[in-house]
Amino acid sequence: MTVTQTPLWTALITPMQADGCVDFAALTRLLYEQATAGNGITLLGSTGEGANLSLAERQAIIEHACRLQLNVPLMVGVGGLDLASQLDWLAFCETQPVSAYLLVTPIYAKPGAQGQQRWFKPYSMR
């Protein structure tokens, strides 16, 4: 399924266990529910818990979702404050079968037009 065929993209929560670890069993159920409905899936969006997860946790979530080989496209949030870290995150995501990226300006910063151009330029150079 291509990105343009997807009528709805669901921004999925990252379910957590009481101890603060990712609940992969619950995540699997949510992913399959969305795939059954034919919805595209957005993981680790710009305003959710993704900003508070470690790189290892984010990588585990994406790898887990991709291993399920869902028949719908997967969008991954690429946002943060540190451009170098976000480029590392994007480089990891490029190793996975990700269909799209949710790119935002630096979270909680308000760069002007020139700052936004500098932020997005490395993404457009791929």
Side-chain angles (χ1 to χ4, degrees), residues 17-84:
Q17 297 175 356
D19 65 1
C21 292
V22 175
D23 185 341
F24 285 99
L27 178 60
T28 299
R29 287 190 299 276
L30 291 171
L31 290 164
Y32 279 129
E33 285 176 11
Q34 295 306 310
T36 299
N39 297 339
I41 298 167
T42 302
L43 292 174
L44 307 170
S46 63
T47 60
E49 65 286 340
N52 296 311
L53 296 173
S54 70
L55 176 60
E57 289 171 316
R58 288 182 285 145
Q59 288 174 333
I61 289 166
I62 299 307
E63 288 172 334
H64 177 78
C66 291
R67 272 194 303 273
L68 297 177
Q69 298 181 345
L70 303 170
N71 63 345
V72 295
L74 176 66
M75 180 186 302
V76 176
V78 180
L81 292 171
D82 174 18
L83 180 58

Side-chain angles (χ1 to χ4, degrees), residues 80-81 104-120:
L81 292 171
V104 297
T105 56
I107 297 173
Y108 306 114
K110 300 193 182 329
Q114 188 176 52
Q116 289 183 46
Q117 289 172 353
R118 290 183 64 202
W119 181 259
F120 286 108

